[in-house]
Amino acid sequence: MAKERKNQVKKQKTPVTSVVRKLARKLAYLVLALALIFVIYLVDRSKLLDPKISWEIDGVLVTDAQRYEDLIKPLIDNKYRINLNQIKIKLRESQRVSNAEAERIFWNQIKVSIQEHDIAMRWGSDGYISSKGVLFKPDFTIRSEAPLGLFSESNATDAFFDFRQYQAILDPVKISILERTSIDELTLENNIKVILGHQRQNERLEIFVKSFEKLKKYKKIRTRGIFDMRYPNGFALSYSPE
């Protein structure tokens, strides 16, 4: 008896071209992924995404703000995570800064606006006093021709308030130095010294203004005079050495 032969469906062979296409497609994806990774690597290593900060100080755009750039440098090392609030806080810690704001113009474009304390008076060799009476001691020296105040830090606010009153009485003559120890002593821009004592200073200064107006015709007085106004009925006059 003859054996029955079973009909088997022959599997069709995958065409070589189809296999090649699939491999080529996978290879293309791999190359594209590698290219993308390489581009990201190049961009990351480049300065293209580094933060670019424009500085505005007291309403004026400046190109040189090195003292503040150094201050916030640790906060912008990671160009992908820049915290504007931390930048503001750090800048406001500076003794020179009255206020600071930071805003993002674009992803890596940042505008920093700073308001600096103005300088109404120098305080010894360590600091300055603003027109609002704020004593500040920055880490760097600021060149200024402002009047010099020689008094203790605890006395700074009151001394500056009195200085403004003295200057208003003397105007247009300018005060060069206000020294406050147990008494107040002024050195004026013409090198005249006025000793006011520790009480009735405004009244004594007004007497000086009237007296000096009568005596300023004498060269010795208007260039080297020392007026001690601590006398109830007048003043004592002496002279600085030549």
Side-chain angles (χ1 to χ4, degrees):
M1 183 177 178
K3 293 183 178 180
E4 294 181 3
R5 298 182 63 183
K6 294 181 179 178
N7 293 329
Q8 295 181 348
V9 179
K10 292 183 179 181
K11 293 183 179 179
Q12 293 183 350
K13 294 183 179 181
T14 304
V16 175
T17 53
S18 178
V19 174
V20 172
R21 286 196 195 99
K22 288 181 180 180
L23 289 175
R25 192 178 299 116
K26 291 179 180 180
L27 183 60
Y29 289 151
L30 179 61
V31 171
L32 183 61
L34 291 174
L36 182 60
I37 292 171
F38 183 66
V39 169
I40 294 173
Y41 171 78
L42 290 178
V43 170
D44 183 66
R45 288 181 60 85
S46 72
K47 295 184 178 181
L48 182 63
L49 299 180
D50 286 356
K52 295 177 177 59
I53 299 178
S54 59
W55 295 90
E56 183 182 87
I57 299 179
D58 293 333
V60 179
L61 289 173
V62 298
T63 56
D64 181 17
Q66 190 62 49
R67 59 186 181 271
Y68 297 126
E69 290 175 358
D70 293 341
L71 194 63
I72 67 169
K73 188 176 181 180
L75 301 177
I76 59 176
D77 280 347
N78 187 338
K79 55 191 171 186
Y80 301 109
R81 297 181 62 185
I82 299 176
N83 189 313
L84 298 183
N85 193 52
Q86 288 182 353
I87 291 177
K88 290 190 294 185
I89 292 173
K90 190 65 178 178
L91 289 170
R92 289 172 183 176
E93 290 176 359
S94 171
Q95 285 275 327
R96 183 73 169 100
V97 174
S98 171
N99 192 27
E101 297 293 340
E103 60 178 321
R104 196 183 302 275
I105 307 301
F106 190 59
W107 185 72
N108 65 334
Q109 302 285 331
I110 297 170
K111 179 182 178 182
V112 176
S113 302
I114 291 176
Q115 290 292 324
E116 295 183 327
H117 290 297
D118 62 343
I119 298 175
M121 175 177 274
R122 292 171 291 149
W123 181 70
S125 60
D126 299 323
Y128 309 87
I129 300 177
S130 74
S131 58
K132 295 181 180 179
V134 177
L135 173 62
F136 59 98
K137 295 178 281 185
D139 297 330
F140 48 88
T141 301
I142 305 170
R143 296 183 63 181
S144 172
E145 300 297 325
L148 177 63
L150 301 174
F151 37 76
S152 66
E153 185 170 353
S154 60
N155 233 338
T157 301
D158 291 339
F160 180 69
F161 174 80
D162 291 337
F163 162 79
R164 290 192 297 181
Q165 290 192 315
Y166 298 161
Q167 185 57 75
I169 294 171
L170 286 166
D171 192 63
V173 177
K174 302 299 181 183
I175 300 171
S176 296
I177 304 173
L178 164 60
E179 183 174 1
R180 170 167 289 182
T181 51
S182 58
I183 63 172
D184 281 5
E185 181 177 322
L186 305 178
T187 301
L188 309 185
E189 61 183 351
N190 48 16
N191 206 37
I192 290 175
K193 295 185 184 298
V194 185
I195 302 171
L196 297 175
H198 68 278
Q199 58 184 356
R200 298 170 48 219
Q201 292 98 325
N202 289 355
E203 179 184 334
R204 290 171 174 175
L205 192 56
E206 288 171 353
I207 293 173
F208 161 76
V209 171
K210 294 176 183 178
S211 302
F212 181 71
E213 187 63 29
K214 297 175 182 178
L215 298 172
K216 66 180 182 180
K217 59 185 177 181
Y218 301 105
K219 182 179 179 181
K220 187 176 180 180
I221 291 177
R222 69 173 182 266
T223 57
R224 296 169 45 216
I226 300 176
F227 289 76
D228 189 342
M229 308 303 299
R230 293 175 293 177
Y231 292 83
N233 297 318
F235 57 90
L237 178 62
S238 59
Y239 303 96
S240 301
E242 293 188 80

